[in-house]
Amino acid sequence: MRNYDDDYTLDDLLSPAHQARLLELLGKLSGAPFLLSENNDGTSEPIEFSLDTLGWLQAELPTEQHQAAVRLYELVLFYAGKYRLAANLHHDTTEASYLELQQKHAAVQASEEKYRQLAQRLTQQVEEQVRVIKKAQQELYESARLRAVGQLAAGIAHEINTPIGFISSNLRVANDYLDELEASLPHNHEAVMLFEDFHALLDESSSGTKRIARIVSDLKTFSNIDQADFAACNINALITTACRLVQAEHHQVLPINLDLGELPEIPGYPAKLSQSLYNVLDNATKSLDTEGHIRVVSRVKDNILEVLIEDEGCGMSEDVLARVFEPFFTTRDVGAGSGLGLSVARDIVVAHRGEIRIKSRLGEGTCVALRIPVN
Amino acid sequence: MATYSESTNKLTLKIVYYGPALSGKTTNLLQLHTLLKPQRKGEVMVLETRNDRTLFFDMLPIGLHSEGGLDLRLKIYTVPGQVQHDSTRKAVLSRADGVIFVADSQLSQQDNNAFAFDNLASNLQKLGMDIERLPLTVQFNKRDRLDAIEEHNLQVRWSSTPWAPLTLASALNGQGVVESFRQLLGRLYPAVDAEFSLARDYAIDSQTFMRNLSAVGGLSNA
Ligand SMILES: Nc1nc2c(ncn2[C@@H]2O[C@H](COP(=O)(O)OP(=O)(O)OP(=O)(O)O)[C@@H](O)[C@H]2O)c(=O)[nH]1
Ligand SMILES: [Mg+2]
C-alpha cells in the first residue's frame, strides 16, 4: 500500500479505460489521433502531475492545440489526483487510528494482566500469612498446654511425693509390726487366714504406692520439669515413659509389645519428643477395639532413627489419611480430642529435622513411623 | 524523513505548516504559491475545505534540478488546524523534514497557540520524532491585527527556546511569508546536507538551495 504522499503513476490516478476514453475524446475534439507513451519521441509533449512527468502525449497538431490538449489532460489528472490523495490520506489515517486503538487495547490488556497477577500474589501472600499465624497459634496453644501440664505435674509431684514417701515407709513398718503381732499370738486356723489376708492387703497397698511414685516420676519426665531444654535424648527411655503413661490412662490393660533396638542418643527436646510419642501412642490405643495389639519398634536404619508404632485397630480411609495432619481435624467425638495430636507430633518431629510417615488400611490398622536423622 | 530514489535520482523533502485553526496556514501556502519563483513550481492542491477551513490538507510542490543531476523536490503541506482533525494532522505530519508553526498573534488566541504547540510536540513524539531536533520555524501571523500581542514581549518569551528568533507575518498581505519559509530552509539545509551530502555530491550548497527554492520575482532577485 502506498502512502498518500508517495508519488503517483498515471495508472494510480486514472484507470486504463479512462485513459483510453480521454484520448478518444481528445481525438474527436481536435480531429487528430492522440497517442500516449512513456517516452518522448520528439513530437510529444509531457503530461505533468505535481512536477512529475507521467507520460508523453503525441499528436500531429499545431503546438498550441497540442498544448491545450496536454493542459486539459493535466486538469483531469489534477482532480483525479486530489481525489486519490484524499482517499489515500483517509486510508492512512484510518489505519493509524486502528493501529493506535490496537496498541491501546494491548496496553490495557497488559495492565489488566499485571493487576491480575498482583492480586494473585497478594492472595498468596495473605494465605501464606494465614498459615504462619495458624501455625504460631497452634504452637502457642500447644506450648501453653505443655506448660500447664508441666506445672500441674510439678505441683502434683511435689504434693504427692511426701505423703507417698511416708505411706510406703509406714506400710513397711506396718508389715514388720504385723509379723511381730503374728508371732506373739496363738496359731489357730482363723488367725492364720486373717494374717495372710492382712499381709496381702499391705503388699498390694505397697505396690500401689510404688506405681503412684512411678507415675509421678514419669509425669515429671514427660512434662520436662527436670530437663527444660535441649539435651541428649534417650529415645527408648522416652518410649517407655510414654507407654507407661498411656497404660496408666487406660488402666493398665493395654497389650503393648516393645521391640526396642539399640539407639544412639540424639540431641533434641525430650519433653517435646515424649509428647509426640505419647500422641501417636494415644491415637493407637484409641483405635483399638476390645482386642488387637500395639507394637512399638525402635531402630536405626541408614542413619535414620525410626520409631514405628503399629496398631491393629480400625485404620483410616484415604480421605481421612489425607487430612490427619490438619490441625483440629479429628475423627473422634467433639470433646474427646483436640485433633491436634498428629499435627503437633509432626511439627515436633519436623523441628528435629525428621518426618512422620503413615500407612493405614481401613479395618486393618495403622503404622506410624517417626523418622529422625541421626547427627 | 526525506525519501531518496536512486533510480530516478530524486530526493523528496516534506515541509509542513502546523498550527491552531484559522491561524493562516492555508493563507501562507497560497501566498507562497503566488510569491515564490523557485526553479520548478507545481499547482497548489487545496484538497477539501468547508467555510475556508482545511479538512484534509493543502499541498504545493516545488523543486529544482541541480547541476549534479539531482531532482530535488519540496512538498509543502498544511494540516487542518481544528482540534477534531487530530488523526489527519498526525498523518500529514508523519515523515516531515521541517515544520513551520503558524501561531495566531491575536491576544485571544494565545491559549490555542499553546495547545496547538503541545499537540505538535506530542504528535511528533508519537511519530518517533523529537521536536528539539526537527528543523522548526515559529511564525506569529496576523501582525496587522490591532489586538496582536506585542512583539517585544513575544521575542523575549521565545528567546530562550531553540526556535528563536520568531518570524512575524501578515500572511493575508503577503508579508513575512517568504521570510518564514527561508528561515526554515536555512534550518533544514544542514540536516539534509548531513544526510545526503548535497554540497559534496550534487553541488547544492546552502546558497543554491535557498536561491532555487525561495526566489521571488525571478532567480536573479534571490
Ligand atoms: N487579519 C489577518 N487575517 C488573516 C491573516 N492570515 C490569515 N487570515 C485570515 O484568517 C482566516 C483563516 O485563514 P486560513 O489560512 O484558512 O487558516 P488555516 O490556518 O488554514 O485554518 P484551518 O485550515 O482551519 O486550520 C482567513 O479568513 C484568513 O483570511 C493575516 O495575516 N491577517
Ligand atoms: Mg487551512
Side-chain angles (χ1 to χ4, degrees):
Chain A
M1 178 65 209
R2 343 172 108 259
N3 286 299
Y4 72 91
D5 53 356
D6 280 346
D7 292 325
Y8 292 91
T9 65
L10 193 56
D11 286 355
D12 289 332
L13 302 178
L14 219 54
S15 70
H18 282 151
Q19 288 174 33
R21 183 135 174 75
L22 194 53
L23 286 185
E24 186 194 323
L25 292 172
L26 284 172
K28 279 192 181 147
L29 278 174
S30 61
F34 279 89
L35 205 73
L36 196 67
S37 66
E38 286 188 8
N39 301 303
N40 182 10
D41 73 342
T43 59
S44 312
E45 291 281 336
I47 296 177
E48 292 200 350
F49 172 77
S50 190
L51 295 183
D52 282 320
T53 301
L54 299 189
W56 297 83
L57 199 60
Q58 190 206 327
E60 303 280 335
L61 279 173
T63 313
E64 206 172 325
Q65 256 180 301
H66 193 167
Q67 288 201 340
V70 167
R71 296 291 93 81
L72 189 61
Y73 204 115
E74 285 180 345
L75 196 62
V76 172
L77 282 189
F78 182 74
Y79 280 93
K82 274 169 70 159
Y83 166 75
R84 210 14 59 224
L85 276 164
N88 286 356
L89 174 75
H90 177 71
H91 178 273
D92 279 11
T93 320
T94 315
E95 196 135 278
S97 305
Y98 181 64
L99 210 71
E100 204 172 318
L101 208 65
Q102 276 182 322
Q103 282 164 353
K104 273 185 193 156
H105 180 66
V108 167
Q109 276 191 326
S111 89
E112 249 176 30
E113 173 64 14
K114 215 174 75 192
Y115 283 113
R116 205 180 55 76
Q117 283 176 357
L118 186 70
Q120 214 169 33
R121 265 206 308 284
L122 281 178
T123 314
Q124 270 170 8
Q125 278 169 6
V126 167
E127 278 170 2
E128 187 62 34
Q129 286 301 312
V130 166
R131 256 200 301 283
V132 168
I133 290 169
K134 263 191 182 162
K135 191 159 151 27
Q137 243 174 3
Q138 182 195 321
E139 276 170 10
L140 203 66
Y141 170 85
E142 202 42 47
S143 77
R145 202 171 86 127
L146 275 176
R147 227 185 356 266
V149 170
Q151 276 163 3
L152 192 66
I156 290 171
H158 183 76
E159 293 297 325
I160 291 182
N161 259 342
T162 321
I164 278 294
F166 63 73
I167 288 174
S168 60
S169 93
N170 287 359
L171 282 173
R172 246 189 336 271
V173 175
N175 226 339
D176 294 347
Y177 286 166
L178 197 62
D179 286 342
E180 285 172 28
L181 197 62
E182 193 178 4
S184 68
L185 285 178
H187 277 244
N188 61 43
H189 180 68
E190 249 175 57
V192 168
M193 290 291 285
L194 193 81
F195 275 106
E196 226 166 67
D197 218 16
F198 209 156
H199 273 300
L201 281 178
L202 288 180
D203 286 346
E204 216 175 303
S205 301
S206 230
S207 75
T209 52
K210 274 194 202 115
R211 242 172 72 207
I212 293 175
R214 207 171 56 223
I215 290 173
V216 167
S217 124
D218 285 349
L219 263 180
K220 271 158 68 179
T221 314
F222 178 72
S223 62
N224 197 20
I225 293 159
D226 301 328
Q227 338 169 350
D229 283 324
F230 208 68
C233 305
N234 178 346
I235 298 293
N236 283 339
L238 298 181
I239 293 174
T240 315
T241 309
C243 283
R244 275 206 299 269
L245 272 177
V246 175
Q247 298 268 23
E249 235 178 70
H250 291 264
H251 317 295
Q252 216 124 29
V253 289
L254 285 175
I256 301 185
N257 301 328
L258 293 184
D259 179 2
L260 304 180
E262 202 168 302
L263 304 179
E265 292 198 323
I266 59 166
Y269 298 91
K272 294 201 165 185
L273 285 171
S274 298
Q275 167 89 48
S276 65
L277 289 165
Y278 177 88
N279 287 358
V280 177
L281 272 169
D282 190 46
N283 283 336
T285 58
K286 282 179 179 142
S287 79
L288 288 185
D289 243 342
T290 42
E291 49 196 66
H293 288 77
I294 294 175
R295 205 165 86 94
V296 181
V297 178
S298 72
R299 65 187 180 200
V300 176
K301 226 173 89 181
D302 299 335
N303 259 341
I304 294 202
L305 191 154
E306 213 173 27
V307 179
L308 303 176
I309 298 171
E310 259 175 303
D311 66 61
E312 295 170 340
C314 58
M316 286 179 270
S317 68
E318 277 184 26
D319 288 353
V320 174
L321 194 58
R323 299 187 57 197
V324 287
F325 288 125
E326 283 178 25
F328 305 109
F329 174 78
T330 177
T331 56
R332 297 191 280 275
D333 293 342
V334 180
S338 67
L340 272 171
L342 267 180
S343 88
V344 170
R346 192 213 17 204
D347 287 354
I348 291 170
V349 172
V350 167
H352 288 78
R353 297 184 297 125
E355 57 172 357
I356 287 188
R357 290 183 185 172
I358 302 185
K359 273 185 276 187
S360 187
R361 211 176 276 249
L362 202 60
E364 290 179 21
T366 304
C367 176
V368 180
L370 289 78
R371 296 156 51 83
I372 299 174
V374 178
N375 71 56
Chain B
M1 202 185 303
T3 47
Y4 175 71
S5 152
E6 203 152 354
S7 58
T8 52
N9 201 17
K10 184 163 87 176
L11 177 65
T12 309
L13 304 175
K14 180 173 179 179
I15 291 177
V16 174
Y17 277 87
Y18 209 93
L22 296 178
S23 66
K25 301 175 291 296
T26 301
T27 310
N28 260 274
L29 192 76
L30 294 175
Q31 286 290 3
L32 268 190
H33 181 243
T34 310
L35 298 172
L36 281 191
K37 300 283 183 288
Q39 207 192 71
R40 307 183 68 206
K41 181 167 73 174
E43 296 284 324
V44 187
M45 288 198 173
V46 176
L47 230 55
E48 186 64 40
T49 56
R50 189 176 297 151
N51 308 327
D52 247 8
R53 318 189 84 175
T54 307
L55 291 186
F56 289 95
F57 58 82
D58 314 309
M59 198 268 280
L60 167 66
I62 65 175
L64 68 85
H65 276 299
S66 85
E67 287 166 25
L70 182 72
D71 179 0
L72 182 82
R73 302 287 179 83
L74 219 59
K75 288 186 175 172
I76 311 167
Y77 289 85
T78 71
V79 299
Q82 289 182 92
V83 178
Q84 67 268 34
H85 297 308
D86 194 47
S87 50
T88 307
R89 207 160 32 241
K90 200 166 75 185
V92 174
L93 184 63
S94 78
R95 287 174 294 152
D97 298 289
V99 168
I100 296 175
F101 184 85
V102 181
D104 194 323
S105 291
Q106 295 176 87
L107 209 53
S108 60
Q109 296 302 310
Q110 299 317 301
D111 281 354
N112 286 340
N113 289 337
F115 184 81
F117 199 78
D118 280 350
N119 176 259
L120 170 63
S122 95
N123 274 341
L124 283 173
Q125 198 192 11
K126 282 181 201 161
L127 292 164
M129 295 188 272
D130 182 0
I131 195 170
E132 303 271 335
R133 295 176 52 187
L134 183 77
L136 172 65
T137 280
V138 177
Q139 175 198 82
F140 270 79
N141 187 31
K142 304 196 188 175
R143 296 308 301 167
D144 55 290
R145 295 285 307 228
L146 288 176
D147 54 351
I149 185 167
E150 197 245 321
E151 177 183 349
H152 177 70
N153 248 341
L154 270 181
Q155 292 289 9
V156 168
R157 207 181 301 160
W158 283 77
S159 62
S160 59
T161 69
W163 308 292
L166 305 171
T167 62
L168 301 174
S170 178
L172 195 60
N173 306 313
Q175 286 159 9
V177 171
V178 175
E179 288 75 4
S180 303
F181 184 64
R182 282 184 180 156
Q183 190 197 64
L184 182 75
L185 290 184
R187 291 175 180 182
L188 177 63
Y189 179 81
V192 181
D193 187 44
E195 193 178 346
F196 296 98
S197 309
L198 291 185
R200 197 192 67 200
D201 295 352
Y202 304 104
I204 305 176
D205 60 12
S206 165
Q207 227 186 349
T208 315
F209 187 76
M210 299 287 275
R211 190 178 56 232
N212 284 300
L213 291 175
S214 65
V216 286
L219 291 183
S220 57
N221 206 8

